């Protein structure tokens, strides 16, 4: 398996359900999850619209390279298990095609080392 480090510093933020998020679609990665109680946004830190209720800055984003069929199992486990063993917390996001794992930038080298030891290439 190969992971690709995306350029940029990312933030995970919480907004009220009625927030206008049009400005954040301009970069390589953006994730928006809406529930009846909140909107969670993951995007480049400098693109966050005002009005967030909470924010957590300083994330690096790793993308699983290639398209992942829905029949595949254990993909996130292959990534999260070595990170958990190395005591690196994460925030995972899945799309229709692939998975993304965000780790705190301050733990990026520790995460890369743990992933390499488990046979995962990080480029």
């Amino acid at each position: 398996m190969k992971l690709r480090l995306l350029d940029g510093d990312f933030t995970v933020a919480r907004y009220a359900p009625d927030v206008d998020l049009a400005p954040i679609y301009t970069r390589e990665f953006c994730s928006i999850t809406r529930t009846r109680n909140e909107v969670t946004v993951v995007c480049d830190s400098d693109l966050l619209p005002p009005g967030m209720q909470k924010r957590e800055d300083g994330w690096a984003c790793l993308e699983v390279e290639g398209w992942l069929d829905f029949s595949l199992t254990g993909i996130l486990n292959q990534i999260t298990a070595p990170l958990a063993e190395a005591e690196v917390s994460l925030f995972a996001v899945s799309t229709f095609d692939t998975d993304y794992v965000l780790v705190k930038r301050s733990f990026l080298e520790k995460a890369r080392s743990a992933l390499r030891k488990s046979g995962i290439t990080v480029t």
Side-chain angles (χ1 to χ4, degrees):
M1 180 184 324
K2 290 184 181 180
L3 301 177
R4 181 175 65 95
L5 177 64
L6 302 183
D7 290 333
D9 289 311
F10 294 85
T11 296
V12 178
R14 182 181 194 270
Y15 289 88
D18 60 349
V19 65
D20 176 17
L21 298 172
I24 67 175
Y25 296 111
T26 61
R27 302 266 175 85
E28 184 176 11
F29 176 80
C30 166
S31 176
I32 301 166
T33 304
R34 184 185 182 284
T35 69
R36 66 186 171 131
N37 298 318
E38 67 172 297
V39 172
T40 296
V41 173
V42 182
C43 71
D44 286 275
S45 301
D46 62 335
L47 290 180
L48 280 174
M52 80 273 309
Q53 297 170 337
K54 295 180 182 180
R55 71 183 288 162
E56 183 73 28
D57 294 314
W59 296 91
C61 185
L62 300 166
E63 173 190 23
V64 176
E65 288 189 346
W67 177 76
L68 302 175
D69 188 88
F70 281 112
S71 65
L72 296 173
T73 61
I75 301 296
L76 280 177
N77 186 59
Q78 290 178 46
I79 298 167
T80 61
L83 293 179
E85 188 174 313
E87 298 184 348
V88 175
S89 62
L90 62 91
F91 188 90
V93 176
S94 294
T95 68
F96 193 92
D97 290 339
T98 195
D99 295 318
Y100 296 81
V101 176
L102 290 93
V103 297
K104 286 296 206 163
R105 189 159 294 280
S106 58
F107 287 95
L108 180 58
E109 289 311 312
K110 188 175 183 181
R112 280 180 159 173
S113 176
L115 292 166
R116 271 193 300 266
K117 287 178 186 173
S118 71
I120 298 172
T121 302
V122 180
T123 60

